[in-house]
Amino acid sequence: MTKFEEELSSLPVSKSTNYTKYWNKAQLLKVFKDWQPQQALPVVPGFVAEWYEDKKNKLEFAVYNINTLIDKKSFNDLTKIEKWFEGVENKPIETIFKMKDGYTVEKPQLFYLRDELTGQFLAKDNQFKNEDRYFFWPGADPLTHSIGTAWKLTFTKQEIDSMQTGSYEQIEVAE
């Protein structure tokens, strides 16, 4: 087997493909040498996607600016996006620049909160836009009935962590 045939046989092409009918061997080898498997799109939180869309026309400057600001603040004074950039596990700069090729916004896991003593669900009244007003859900069981938009019965882990939910059971919302 020639070197070319070894390289050709290692390419990700089915043996049944009749590629020589349409291409000469040199053209085919060049195409496959340049070919790289498509990388998965980065998955980012919604607030990162919003920041990116706002800054994408001046992305290099925005990334430089945010990294400069991070160095001048204490961790408690950082904004949500600055804290995300500070987290090395996010690979923030690499992720932001990969977003130029597209991205997916992560879908946060949602939970119902059911009081362990009464069995009632916690609900937020959506009519009060400027303040958080929570009530016990007076309607049908949200696990088996659909609800309107006037009440919010599902909460993200981050929302739950910011509330005092000592006696509430967290029930995952099925997708």
Side-chain angles (χ1 to χ4, degrees), residues 4 8 13 17-28:
F4 173 78
L8 193 59
V13 174
T17 304
N18 189 4
Y19 46 80
T20 55
K21 182 176 179 181
Y22 304 102
W23 298 54
N24 70 41
K25 290 179 181 180
Q27 288 173 315
L28 184 66

Side-chain angles (χ1 to χ4, degrees), residues 121-174:
F121 289 86
L122 184 68
K124 180 181 176 199
D125 192 336
N126 283 335
Q127 296 175 59
F128 299 97
K129 300 291 181 201
N130 296 330
E131 54 187 289
D132 293 339
R133 292 202 180 176
Y134 297 95
F135 302 92
F136 284 117
W137 172 243
D141 184 342
L143 298 175
T144 57
H145 293 83
S146 64
I147 59 165
T149 58
W151 294 87
K152 174 184 164 103
L153 280 97
T154 58
F155 303 92
T156 65
K157 190 73 171 149
Q158 184 177 3
E159 290 172 316
I160 293 169
D161 290 345
S162 71
M163 299 188 278
Q164 295 177 352
T165 58
S167 65
Y168 287 91
E169 172 188 11
Q170 295 179 20
I171 303 169
E172 286 188 28
V173 175

Side-chain angles (χ1 to χ4, degrees), residues 108-119:
Q109 175 62 55
L110 298 174
F111 298 88
Y112 293 108
L113 294 175
R114 181 168 44 202
D115 188 290
E116 293 174 344
L117 302 173
T118 66

